[in-house]
Amino acid sequence: MSERYDVIIVGAGPAGLATAYFLVKKGFKVIVLERGSEPGSKNVFGGRIYSYVLDKYFSGWRSEAPVERWVRREKLSLLCKNDVVSLEYEIGREIDGYDSFTTFLSRFLKWMALRVEQEGAIVATSVRVDEVLFDDGKARGVRVGEDKLEAEYTVIAEGANTLLLEKHSLRDKISPKDITIGIKEVIKLGREKIEERFGLIGEEGLAQFLLSPLFGGGFIYTMKDYVSIGVVYRPLIKDQVEAKDVIEELRLHPSISKLIGDGIPIEYSAHIIREAGYRDLMSKPYGDRYLVVGDAAGLLLNTGFTIRGVDLAIESGRLAGEAIDRISKGEDPSIYVKLLRESEIIQMLKKFRGVPEVLSNHKIYTVYPEIACRILKNMYSVDESPITLRESIREATGSRFSMIKFILELLFMVKNL
Amino acid sequence: MKILTLIKLTLDISQLKYESTGEPLTEIAPKKMGDSDKCAVEEAVRLKEKLGAYTVVATIGSTSENERIIRDAYAMGIDEGYIVKVEDPEILQATSIGKIVSSLVEKTGPYDLIILGAGSLDTHSYTLGSIIASKLNIPIIAGVDSLQYVDGFFEALCIMEDGAYTFRAKAPLVVTVTTEANEPRIPTLKTILRSKKMEVKTLTIHDLGVDDVVKVDLLDVKRYVVNRRKILWDASEDLEKAVDKFIEVLVSEGVAQ
Amino acid sequence: MKIMLYGESIEWIKQARTVADILDGETIGVTPSRELGNEAVKILNKVYVFDSIHYEPNSYYKTIYKIAEEVKPDLSIFPSTIKGRTLAGLYAGSRDEPVITDVVDLRYVGRFLEVKRLVYGGACVAVLRASTPLTICISQGAFKPSEKGENGKIEYFSRVDEERVQTIFKPREYLGIPLERAEVVVVAGRGFKKREDLEMVKELSSRLDGAWSVTRPLAADYGWADTWIGISGAIVSPRLYIAIGVSGQPLHMIAARNSKTIIAVNKDPSAPIFEEVDYGIIGDLYQVIPRLLEKIKKKT
């Protein structure tokens, strides 16, 4: 094929599109190839994006990006069989805008793709890349069916399903113990019911994290007319319900079902999540004339409740863009890793590196909700002999137990989610 | 030879969801080029490859998804495309669509062949092709399962309830094809890239000299509720009982002793 | 009110007459068959018969259009078959009047007609307001046959030729009872694994003096039969519809929905067909049908 590009990006997810955005702004001729029929059609995503990264790079995004609701209420709930213990934080009014918002990733990515195309890159959908063309270890483009497309640089942004990387033995197949499944359902409830039941006004939104021995960690995000509920499903937790029933289990919980029980499920999706976090990071996410970005390189933050990826993906796209720019000017490809190391992303992944281990010890799901519910149940049960907080805790845990420590530990878990 | 293919953005009805009141949630249903429209595009592109025809595609609508299906048609090999901008085209009277199309034909034609899918998946009226033919006063061959071009004639096989019809006609002609007509090609990278660079022309109905469109006076749309008895027996639990119940039904309906 | 209807079968004409009864209209029939004309004249006020060797839409519609110029109908009715829809589109387009297909009910509300039609492949019913003159298509079985009789007149009309189109017709060879007239229809769906297994369906239908058919994939994709039941194939309304291994997609069900009683066998309890049945057997057809045939044989 006669057409030649400076950079081919495989995958129009957040990382791929961000890489394209930063590169095209630097004057590179860029093409993004996406196997889905639209950008974002293969993504499953909880529904919250942090504003800071958009503020930094996408001028005017607040008025044009497809925001559903601005998150003003943050809630953490521990679900027992019937009871719930919740901790809620309501953010005061912000003048410069809120720190995060809910959105449908598919719509958000369509908007990002539009911005990328406005800058002059091409985003081609329904294109399945079969392989990266290597010449003596040097990437020189991709093959799509019968067609070959050449470029100076190839960026692999294929997401968690690392088919290309595995095909070229650049990355091992992930071990089942490092896989979790993100399962999400979108429920139509209507604006009025959402605002009434979740206590929201106008464009305000709620982000809720859930912990339960039944399904592990989960989330609820409010959209304008829809509620997005999901679970980060860990197949290894014992006695857990099956993946296909897990959302049903969540929906039927008394505290959830009264909120969304009469809603209409309109979309169900499930997706693999690489959960190993920092451990899963590719040690060498680059090679001769190619880079790996986003999820594919392990650059996403699975916090246990939800997958924080979009802001990190955009940031990693920016770094990949900068790396390619500098490599093209003669710097060594290892500059990419250097840039990553110096960046916030790696710092954050490092900070959360213990999370997968903490999560896989399951105490957080199995023990904490029960303890919390028992403590509060004891405290609030009124009978002839009133009980003190200390007694209540002792009765619930059978031991010395620090309520403060307990709460702090939980908050640590959900911090930065 | 110049060919006009008409395509429609249709709901994927297999994924239609409903409000608790029974109203279909059409705004969130996935939309795509109609299956038989895709066969019409394929048929046009085959005629282009065989006879060097020039191919034009058109759709009516106002969303970015209309542009997407025009590009999908480009990626299959169509040469030129138009979007006629009309809000909510799905509630236009078919006769209004007929008028828009005949004006489009006058403006961008003449065409030897106007080809479209026999019926869209959503309303499935099977009438648009014939309305267009009547407006343009040219013949139609509708519901074509196989189309050939032989010695200056279009030759079309249509399988119908009572048998197989073969119609032969010269251009100009309207043809509607069923999904039997062909297996639409899957675009290649090369054609997708080409499609991204091609211009999609837009027209308003005023550009076409159509001053007014008539909308369907739609009062209500609800899920079709079937009032049937829905008595179920589980044969995997008790085969004999289920089969006996089946026979009871046959007897009570008077079709078995 | 003058109602003109173009019919190809007496069963359908009787049902279309019901529409005329609802609207209290005068009925004028049009048909390309002398034989049918002779029958129709006992049901309708007047019947125009035009001679034709076989169907060709372009000449047919011009003929019907010319008859309409004489009749000046307020409402024109065609069958919701592929032929009927094609003719209705041509006819309504040339008369510049609206056309509504898949009509299942209609009535007068004030000066307007309130028309119910199926949309989204039969998954939904839409209610529309329309005024005359109007063309509609009604499905076989959507209305009960009228029992009213008339002593109408026949008028022979000459067909308008369409020289631009040549037609060759190969009639289908019917083996047994035609689907549209059968009291019992047994239909096989994708639950069948091999073509040979359709013998079970054939045997069951012949034991019940019925006809058999398949769903679209079995005919169109696998080539196991020439026709199918579905919106793009045959539309049936038998007394008993037996669906075996049929999932119940809307485009299939719309063509069988007017059956009096529906019974289905399917191993998937969540198959949509179980929403539309009177009786359902949840079970493997390869167990249920052989056992059923055995028992029926034993009885007779």
Side-chain angles (χ1 to χ4, degrees):
Chain A
M1 245 166 118
S2 56
E3 194 96 41
R4 220 185 139 78
Y5 291 86
D6 295 330
V7 186
I8 294 169
I9 296 167
V10 183
L17 287 173
T19 309
Y21 179 76
F22 292 105
L23 278 171
V24 74
K25 284 191 120 180
K26 286 182 191 289
F28 286 84
K29 194 175 171 202
V30 179
I31 182 162
V32 184
L33 305 176
E34 164 61 40
R35 74 188 158 108
S37 60
E38 282 178 80
S41 57
K42 299 265 183 230
N43 280 277
V44 175
F45 159 73
R48 174 208 296 235
I49 295 178
Y50 289 87
S51 309
Y52 76 93
V53 70
L54 297 173
D55 284 336
K56 249 162 89 186
Y57 309 118
F58 291 83
S59 60
W61 73 274
R62 279 180 194 263
S63 56
E64 44 173 77
V67 169
E68 287 284 315
R69 288 175 183 274
W70 299 98
V71 174
R72 270 202 78 190
R73 302 182 63 193
E74 306 271 3
K75 196 167 174 180
L76 168 66
S77 296
L78 301 152
L79 268 56
C80 304
K81 199 161 183 303
N82 293 306
D83 308 348
V84 192
V85 175
S86 292
L87 189 63
E88 189 174 327
Y89 166 52
E90 180 158 338
I91 301 159
R93 279 213 168 272
E94 299 279 348
I95 295 159
D96 309 332
Y98 295 94
D99 286 343
S100 68
F101 59 94
T102 61
T103 185
F104 290 107
L105 189 59
S106 55
R107 289 184 199 169
F108 182 79
L109 289 178
K110 253 191 237 179
W111 169 77
M112 253 181 98
L114 193 73
R115 283 288 289 252
V116 167
E117 292 203 295
Q118 279 168 356
E119 296 288 341
I122 290 177
V123 181
T125 53
S126 303
V127 178
R128 187 196 187 91
V129 171
D130 297 305
E131 62 174 334
V132 177
L133 298 168
F134 284 103
D135 202 353
D136 241 355
K138 181 169 156 186
R140 50 177 186 84
V142 296
R143 182 176 66 80
V144 177
E146 306 277 285
D147 295 323
K148 286 176 182 168
L149 190 65
E150 296 196 345
E152 291 297 316
Y153 302 96
T154 303
V155 175
I156 299 169
E158 60 181 340
N161 241 331
T162 50
L163 298 172
L164 279 181
L165 290 176
E166 283 166 31
K167 182 181 175 110
H168 295 295
S169 308
L170 297 173
R171 166 151 238 199
D172 292 335
K173 211 171 167 55
I174 191 162
S175 91
K177 81 174 170 54
D178 289 338
I179 286 180
T180 50
I181 305 166
I183 303 168
K184 187 189 78 171
E185 194 164 66
V186 177
I187 290 164
K188 179 161 191 198
L189 200 55
R191 189 171 197 134
E192 250 173 52
K193 281 184 188 167
I194 288 173
E195 289 174 6
E196 200 181 291
R197 293 179 191 176
F198 291 91
L200 302 167
I201 298 169
E203 293 191 306
E204 292 174 1
L206 164 116
Q208 184 173 7
F209 299 108
L210 311 161
L211 277 179
S212 161
L214 287 173
F215 51 77
F219 59 80
I220 294 180
Y221 292 115
T222 56
M223 307 289 168
K224 278 195 194 95
D225 289 301
Y226 306 90
V227 174
S228 176
I229 67 169
V231 168
V232 179
Y233 179 76
R234 262 178 203 75
L236 296 178
I237 294 186
K238 266 186 276 164
D239 304 327
Q240 200 183 2
V241 290
E242 275 185 70
K244 66 179 173 45
D245 301 323
V246 73
I247 288 268
E248 194 60 15
E249 197 68 46
L250 172 58
R251 269 205 301 150
L252 290 177
H253 191 277
S255 72
I256 310 282
S257 91
K258 70 175 181 191
L259 294 172
I260 57 169
D262 58 344
I264 296 155
I266 56 162
E267 189 191 306
Y268 174 90
S269 45
H271 199 259
I272 303 178
I273 297 163
R274 307 184 74 105
E275 118 143 325
Y278 187 69
R279 251 201 305 120
D280 188 42
L281 209 58
M282 275 177 88
S283 56
K284 191 171 171 265
Y286 66 90
D288 198 355
R289 304 286 167 116
Y290 71 89
L291 301 185
V292 186
V293 300
D295 257 28
L299 292 168
L300 101 163
L301 192 55
N302 173 12
T303 57
F305 302 90
T306 176
I307 309 311
R308 176 160 164 197
V310 176
D311 55 332
L312 299 189
I314 290 175
E315 196 56 41
S316 92
R318 187 184 68 82
L319 297 174
E322 194 180 328
I324 286 175
D325 187 34
R326 287 165 71 162
I327 294 164
S328 75
K329 287 174 181 146
E331 286 195 46
D332 191 82
S334 63
I335 184 70
Y336 179 44
V337 170
K338 191 162 173 278
L339 289 172
L340 278 172
R341 283 221 182 94
E342 290 164 2
S343 74
E344 300 255 326
I345 307 176
I346 297 293
Q347 303 306 327
M348 218 165 334
L349 285 171
K350 270 188 182 160
K351 203 159 86 185
F352 277 85
R353 86 182 114 184
V355 168
E357 280 67 39
V358 174
L359 292 176
S360 52
N361 84 15
H362 310 149
K363 191 171 85 169
I364 183 160
Y365 316 114
T366 49
V367 181
Y368 286 11
E370 271 316 312
I371 293 176
C373 288
R374 256 189 278 157
I375 292 172
L376 288 159
K377 188 170 185 157
N378 288 342
M379 262 186 74
Y380 286 102
S381 304
V382 174
D383 56 23
E384 280 156 29
S385 55
I387 191 164
T388 65
L389 174 63
R390 190 182 297 265
E391 285 167 343
S392 157
I393 291 170
R394 191 164 302 145
E395 198 167 303
T397 61
S399 68
R400 284 178 63 83
F401 183 88
S402 161
M403 185 72 166
I404 298 292
K405 201 176 148 226
F406 174 65
I407 290 174
L408 286 177
E409 207 169 315
L410 273 175
L411 283 177
F412 167 75
M413 295 305 309
V414 299
K415 204 178 70 160
N416 273 322
L417 302 186
Chain B
M1 185 184 287
K2 195 171 176 185
I3 301 172
L4 175 65
T5 308
L6 299 167
I7 57 175
K8 182 179 172 187
L9 186 66
T10 55
L11 298 181
D12 185 349
I13 55 161
S14 63
Q15 296 194 48
L16 204 53
K17 304 271 188 343
Y18 303 90
E19 285 281 11
S20 48
T21 52
E23 277 159 69
L25 295 164
T26 51
E27 74 278 10
I28 55 147
K31 294 173 187 76
K32 57 175 189 178
M33 189 193 311
D35 291 341
S36 59
D37 293 351
K38 214 171 212 178
C39 294
V41 171
E42 176 64 30
E43 214 53 58
V45 174
R46 286 185 188 183
L47 287 166
K48 169 185 168 172
E49 287 164 348
K50 221 163 130 190
L51 310 166
Y54 186 75
T55 53
V56 178
V57 67
T59 190
I60 300 175
S62 62
T63 68
S64 64
E65 288 179 297
N66 288 99
E67 189 181 319
R68 194 188 79 211
I69 61 170
I70 294 279
R71 291 203 189 277
D72 287 347
Y74 284 167
M76 289 175 73
I78 296 283
D79 300 302
E80 185 183 344
Y82 292 90
I83 298 176
V84 181
K85 293 268 175 192
V86 180
E87 297 279 324
D88 304 327
E90 57 282 356
I91 56 163
L92 282 190
Q93 293 271 14
T95 45
S96 276
I97 295 179
K99 258 181 224 160
I100 293 170
V101 172
S102 47
S103 309
L104 180 76
V105 168
E106 270 166 38
K107 197 175 165 83
T108 64
Y111 294 100
D112 299 286
L113 179 67
I114 297 168
I115 189 164
L116 60 150
S120 67
L121 203 62
D122 45 8
T123 50
H124 233 282
S125 295
Y126 274 102
T127 52
L128 184 60
S130 13
I131 290 169
I132 293 164
S134 74
K135 296 279 178 219
L136 297 169
N137 195 23
I138 58 175
I140 183 170
I141 305 178
V144 172
D145 293 311
S146 162
L147 184 68
Q148 311 273 325
Y149 188 75
V150 189
D151 304 330
F153 281 89
F154 290 100
E155 205 173 283
L157 175 71
C158 308
I159 310 282
M160 296 209 212
E161 303 95 280
D162 55 347
Y165 290 83
T166 305
F167 298 110
R168 268 162 62 93
K170 279 192 160 148
L173 179 70
V174 176
V175 165
T176 72
V177 292
T178 70
T179 49
E180 308 309 306
N182 56 53
E183 190 69 47
R185 71 193 61 199
I186 294 158
T188 63
L189 175 62
K190 204 174 187 169
T191 60
I192 290 171
L193 292 185
R194 189 183 72 116
S195 77
K196 295 293 288 182
K197 288 184 194 145
M198 288 170 66
E199 186 195 357
V200 176
K201 295 173 188 164
T202 56
L203 291 168
T204 65
I205 54 165
H206 302 291
D207 296 336
L208 295 174
V210 179
D211 35 304
D212 204 13
V213 287
V214 188
K215 298 219 157 143
V216 173
D217 195 354
L218 190 64
L219 304 175
D220 185 42
V221 186
K222 285 266 166 65
R223 182 175 206 167
Y224 181 90
V225 183
V226 191
N227 290 319
R228 291 199 179 263
R229 277 160 278 190
K230 294 183 204 165
I231 299 168
L232 304 181
W233 298 291
D234 196 339
S236 54
E237 273 171 20
D238 190 342
L239 179 66
E240 290 309 308
K241 186 187 163 197
V243 170
D244 288 341
K245 288 288 178 187
F246 199 140
I247 291 172
E248 271 176 38
V249 172
L250 297 179
V251 171
S252 69
E253 291 296 324
V255 300
Q257 301 289 305
Chain C
M1 179 170 204
K2 278 189 173 169
I3 297 171
M4 193 169 105
L5 46 100
Y6 166 82
E8 287 166 345
S9 78
I10 197 68
E11 291 85 359
W12 183 88
I13 289 173
K14 281 180 186 167
Q15 292 164 16
R17 164 77 212 233
T18 299
V19 176
D21 296 344
I22 295 170
L23 302 174
D24 196 20
E26 188 187 338
T27 48
I28 300 102
V30 179
T31 171
S33 147
R34 271 174 194 251
E35 201 186 343
L36 184 57
N38 291 335
E39 278 187 82
V41 85
K42 297 171 200 158
I43 306 164
L44 307 173
N45 298 106
K46 186 171 181 180
V47 177
Y48 285 86
V49 174
F50 65 91
D51 274 321
S52 163
I53 309 158
H54 45 65
Y55 163 81
E56 194 289 300
N58 300 283
S59 85
Y60 270 33
Y61 98 85
K62 283 184 183 150
T63 311
I64 303 165
Y65 179 84
K66 239 174 123 182
I67 295 169
E69 280 190 323
E70 231 178 82
V71 173
K72 296 188 174 61
D74 302 291
L75 181 69
S76 307
I77 312 180
F78 291 81
S80 272
T81 56
I82 292 190
K83 287 182 189 173
R85 290 162 193 268
T86 305
L87 289 174
L90 288 162
Y91 170 87
S94 59
R95 282 167 59 85
D96 204 19
E97 66 187 40
V99 51
I100 306 173
T101 59
D102 303 288
V103 171
V104 291
D105 198 8
L106 82 178
R107 58 178 183 147
Y108 258 109
V109 175
R111 293 183 297 116
F112 294 100
L113 275 173
E114 204 179 272
V115 183
K116 271 191 193 166
R117 67 160 297 187
L118 299 176
V119 288
Y120 305 137
C124 292
V125 183
V127 184
L128 322 167
R129 191 157 62 178
S131 48
T132 54
L134 176 70
T135 298
I136 62 169
C137 294
I138 64 169
S139 292
Q140 168 86 25
F143 293 86
K144 284 200 176 100
S146 169
E147 279 161 16
K148 291 197 180 158
E150 300 287 345
N151 194 3
K153 278 184 298 193
I154 286 201
E155 187 172 328
Y156 295 98
F157 204 86
S158 53
R159 165 174 156 157
V160 181
D161 285 331
E162 171 57 81
E163 274 125 19
R164 295 176 293 182
V165 184
Q166 305 157 13
T167 315
I168 305 160
F169 177 54
K170 256 174 75 186
R172 186 183 303 289
E173 284 170 31
Y174 279 112
L175 299 166
I177 312 159
L179 268 180
E180 285 83 352
R181 296 209 182 128
E183 292 266 290
V184 180
V185 172
V186 186
V187 63
R190 258 200 283 209
F192 282 82
K193 291 176 194 139
K194 298 196 302 286
R195 185 178 193 153
E196 300 84 83
D197 300 338
L198 294 184
E199 291 305 323
M200 290 192 280
V201 170
K202 292 178 196 169
E203 186 178 348
L204 182 61
S205 72
S206 79
R207 293 208 171 260
L208 302 175
D209 292 329
W212 70 276
S213 187
V214 295
T215 59
R216 191 173 171 284
L218 271 63
D221 301 339
Y222 309 164
W224 293 356
D226 297 336
T227 51
W228 60 87
I229 293 173
I231 192 159
S232 54
I235 294 167
V236 296
S237 55
R239 177 136 57 107
L240 180 63
Y241 191 75
I242 303 174
I244 304 170
V246 174
S247 66
Q249 293 304 315
L251 294 181
H252 172 75
M253 292 314 293
I254 192 176
R257 206 170 253 171
N258 295 318
S259 308
K260 190 179 147 278
T261 301
I262 297 180
I263 181 164
V265 180
N266 197 306
K267 66 177 173 192
D268 177 8
S270 61
I273 194 156
F274 287 126
E275 292 297 313
E276 299 209 31
V277 297
D278 295 288
Y279 307 100
I281 310 278
I282 302 163
D284 186 349
L285 71 93
Y286 286 95
Q287 289 178 355
V288 176
I289 305 304
R291 189 74 190 112
L292 178 74
L293 286 169
E294 251 173 62
K295 286 204 171 181
I296 292 176
K297 269 185 244 171
K298 232 182 255 171
K299 283 189 136 194
T300 49

